[in-house]
Amino acid sequence: MRKLTTGETARMVAEAVTSFNDLCDIYHFALSTDSLSGEVLEGYDSSPSLNTACGFSAGPQQRNERGQIVTIDADAVLRVAQGTSIAVKDKVIARSVTYIVDGIIPGRNVTIGNLKEIKI
């Protein structure tokens, strides 16, 4: 199998990004320590990735595996360009709905995030 050149990889990533029809905001999960009590606090950083080009698919996700239906435990799936900073526990706002990243699947040209909706 032939290895892709840097130019071919860059072109494939650019083509994948042009197929993204949505914009989303990604708030990166961060831990901090309270200076008075020393308690570890969970929160989100102060520099989110706003208006990130993404591919977004809402609704329960399913995949077909050897003729059997296997349900993937995700309320939505997000695709972002490879190299975009996204991790488990990050908060994503897409189409005015807030989600938490529940899993990450690295792809060849994109990163796929399984999302769980936050309902308050």
Side-chain angles (χ1 to χ4, degrees):
M1 178 178 264
R2 179 177 76 84
K3 186 175 179 178
L4 294 175
T5 66
T6 303
E8 289 172 321
T9 302
R11 189 185 82 251
M12 290 176 76
V13 170
E15 287 174 8
V17 170
T18 61
S19 72
F20 296 161
N21 296 324
D22 292 293
L23 295 175
C24 62
D25 298 336
I26 302 171
Y27 294 83
H28 308 287
F29 180 78
L31 294 174
S32 61
T33 305
D34 185 290
S35 60
L36 297 176
S37 68
E39 181 181 356
V40 176
L41 306 171
E42 293 183 352
Y44 296 92
D45 68 1
S46 59
S47 57
S49 302
L50 301 176
N51 293 322
T52 302
C54 64
F56 181 78
S57 176
Q61 302 300 309
Q62 295 181 343
R63 71 172 186 220
N64 193 341
E65 186 173 303
R66 295 186 186 160
Q68 299 175 0
I69 299 296
V70 177
T71 302
I72 298 172
D73 190 20
D75 296 325
V77 173
L78 180 76
R79 293 179 304 118
V80 293
Q82 186 179 32
T84 301
S85 179
I86 189 166
V88 172
K89 292 190 177 182
D90 284 356
K91 181 170 54 172
V92 174
I93 299 176
R95 297 183 187 169
S96 301
V97 179
T98 304
Y99 298 90
I100 292 292
V101 178
D102 191 45
I104 295 291
I105 304 167
R108 176 175 278 186
N109 300 312
V110 297
T111 300
I112 300 167
N114 295 327
L115 307 177
K116 296 293 260 179
E117 185 176 352
I118 298 175
K119 297 180 182 179
I120 299 175

